[in-house]
Amino acid sequence: MTSTTAAQPTQPKRSRAPLAITLAVVGALVVAFFIFSGLYTDFLWYDQLGYATVLTTGWLATLGMFLVGFIAMAVPVWISIQLAYRLRPVYAKLSSQLDRYQELVEPLRRLATWGIPVILGLFAGFATATRWQVVLMWFNRTPSGTTDPQFGLDTSFYLFELPFYRGVVAFASAVILLAVLATVAVSYLYGSIRVAGRELRISKSARIQIAILAGVYLLLQAVSIWLDQYVTLTQTGDLITGASYTDVNATIPGRIILAGIAILVALLFFVTAFIGRWRFPVVGLVLLLISGLLIGTAYPWVVQRFQVDPNARVLETPYIQRNIDLTREAYGVDTVEEIPYNATTDAEPGALRADAETTANIRIIDPAVVSPTVSQLEQFKNYYQFNKALDVDRYTIDGKTQDAVVAVRELSQSGLEDAQSWYNNTVVYTHGYGLVAAYGNQRSSDGFPVFLESGVPTSGELGDFQPRIYFGEKSPEYSIVGSPSSTDPVELDYPSATDDSQETYNTFDGDGGPKLDNAFKKLIYALKFQSEQIFLSDAVNNESQILYDRNPKDRVQKAAPYLTLDSDPYPSVVDGKVVWIVDGYTTSANFPYAKTQSLSNAIADSATQTQQYALDNINYIRNSVKATVDAYSGKVTLYAWDDKDPVLATWQKIYPSTVKPISEMSGDLMSHVRYPADLFKVQRQILGQYHVTDAGPFYSRSDAWATPADPQATANDTTLQPPYYLTMQMPGQDAPAFSLYSSFIPRGTSDSSRSILTGYLAADADAGAEKGVKGDDYGKLRLLTLPKEDTVPGPGQVQNNFNSDPSVSSAINLLKQGQTKVINGNLLTVPVGGGLLYVQPVYVQSTAETAYPLLQKVLVAFGDQIAFENTLDEALDVLFGGDSGAEAGDTGTDSTVAPETPSVDPDTGTDGGTDTGTDTGTDAGTDGGTGVTTGDPATDAQLQQALNEAKQAIADKQAALEKGDFAAYGAADAKLAEAVARALELTGGK
């Protein structure tokens, strides 16, 4: 029996194409939304800050340059491919191998014809999009008024025009070269170019196309070679940056000749396009290559080797002089005032009488050391913090300018520990509170800084100001602030000083960030910060603002992307607000004849770390902008500080109305701006070599200087000593001024270097206090040059004298007793008394868990004489024969609380027998006798009890200091003060 099965109808396979297309569309939309959200949040940030034009200008310029690059590459390549294909021989006889290639290529021909130009265009578009700044600077270029000594061109040609022209020529050369390659490939594939044995046959159409493209390419190379003669003025050679004798007399003429030969060869290619003879252009190419070797390489080598090297000093002199003059101009040191300074090394009594004001302002508080001390006294809570290195500013107190060490109390959310949550970190703990300022020249009897502004709530000499720090160097990544006036504040303002359960809350009422006033904004910021809480939390309302990019440097950099910013923004109280002051520089590496150096290397020292692999070579710098960032609102304000700078003038045309004139700077702000440290470091680096202004000595390098290594560095550490801010009176000044200084020693190898002073550079850092008007001497550089035959000790030598002196070592060992260590502060060099005075504060710090340094002693040196006392005032008197003739800022500081140490005789360096005084009047022996009586037995008994209590308090203080228990130290100090006060009362003040 045969069974049959009915045939089942086949089911058509489902096409997966719709699903794939749907997924691709959805994926593209998701990617597009993420891109849009990123761009939109950027726009919201810039718009709120008031610098939307900076962002949109960059966007439009980038888009425009992308389109230019895309079209300029894609269209010529596409035309070349189309012409080569359309003008192919129709009946060309091809080899079997080319037939197979055609079979493979033909199905993809249309795709390749469009795809290759598009792909090349995309690469070109992305490359040109990154060059929009060069193009805009060329369109908006500003003459400098200074001409180069070789070609007589305005230096703006090298700053703005030459980079643009070279970029255009390089891009056009790449386009033509790719067009030639595409033409040759298509012509060969379709038979316009055929190789038959040793014979090369090219069709007429292909010949014309290739010859014209080759001629255009050679014309571009002629332009490039012509422009290269100007490049010699910014290239660094073995001797100088700029054109040397060989460049001027061989390289530059050679490039002019080569450019002419390239034009001639290009003309031969154009001729070949019509007459069909390739011999002439081929011979021309060979001639160009040989000429390049002979004229471009061999001839300059011969001139250098046989003419210049034997007579280098004579022949190179005018070109070295060009380098000296233009380097000094490019770095702003051409107006430095050199002052011969015959420094004495004899510490005579009364020597500081004429420098009394400078002596009174010598800073003994080291901002790089005292941060732990300030934190211990002023941090209050673990969720506050201070920078590791504090800043130096100055304030007018009772009509007198006072140097101050300053810092802001910033938020540290890591201190919340297990209390951290999204709500606490984002909504509650949003800002720091208050600015702390300490007198730079004073200390308490215990070695603590003396504050002129401190506390929570803040109080002191600086008056009323907005103390909240929403924008700082340590601010959180983002915070959400603001709420309707009808709701209770939730942002922690500051804790109670007396009751931990009592805290003050605040609601941000400024304009500091984009508003989250609709669901879409909440969504895009939730995506930006990858936090769904921003979208879901009830704490985010229509009045909320999101604060981010809060670092002052970041905000200024985004508002002015063309600036190079100083590495050290500093806070100051200005016009009732805490503002960050940031110095901005315009730089270039294209200034003719100016020495090129790495900016990162130039500013690196013990206060600024070296940046590895930094590509930041410059040979021109100006402090063109002073910027402020409001610590409460985050508002960024840019002021044109150098209105003569052509680079800034050019950028102001690109970004109009973003930089305010200096006339809008208030007098209070003017009184707090200072000469920037990074610019000064660059200038001291240049002046180490370019203080020599005559080409002859410059060539021999017989008087090259170097910045000394930091005296606190280890033996193998060559980290440089940073410059320091001080108020002092330089020779040539009528009165002391806030200044920035550094010193020089002879340049040499580590084996041959000598730590003796050869120069002392100071910049007047005080801009005055008149609205919109710089002080007459602001930025004035004064260079003290010491006689070569004198041997004034340098910082390294002085530090070695301090460390090796037996009496100082003995005193240091006493300070190290117990669980303590000694920290040497900054070694300052001050030109007073007809010589150079060295001052170094010495701190004692416990090695226990709670440790912070206390200023206990001061080291001073003048010539080879040193002194080591409890206060600067005492040390100066000892150093200068018992009377320095002036008082230091710590005059009157009670030195009886310092550990007992021997003083150092300035002449012998031995114990001079001076009692530094832990003895308050009690006998140091065991009987406790005072030697003081009142005649009344009852009063004498009370007096003895008070003195015994004082003696015990001194012992308790010393024990607490050795243990690092500063709470007990403070309690013992209070008992000592109370006991001494009782004793004075009982003795009638005797």
Side-chain angles (χ1 to χ4, degrees), residues 420-427 478 480 531 533-534 537 539-540:
Q420 291 192 72
S421 65
W422 180 89
Y423 187 88
N424 274 345
N425 287 355
T426 307
V427 179
Y478 73 96
I480 296 177
S531 174
Q533 298 294 338
I534 296 176
S537 175
V540 184

Side-chain angles (χ1 to χ4, degrees), residues 443-445 871-874 887-896:
R443 69 173 180 91
S444 73
S445 59
T871 68
L872 175 59
D873 192 59
E874 294 173 0
E887 294 183 347
D890 60 352
T891 300
T893 301
D894 182 7
S895 63
T896 60

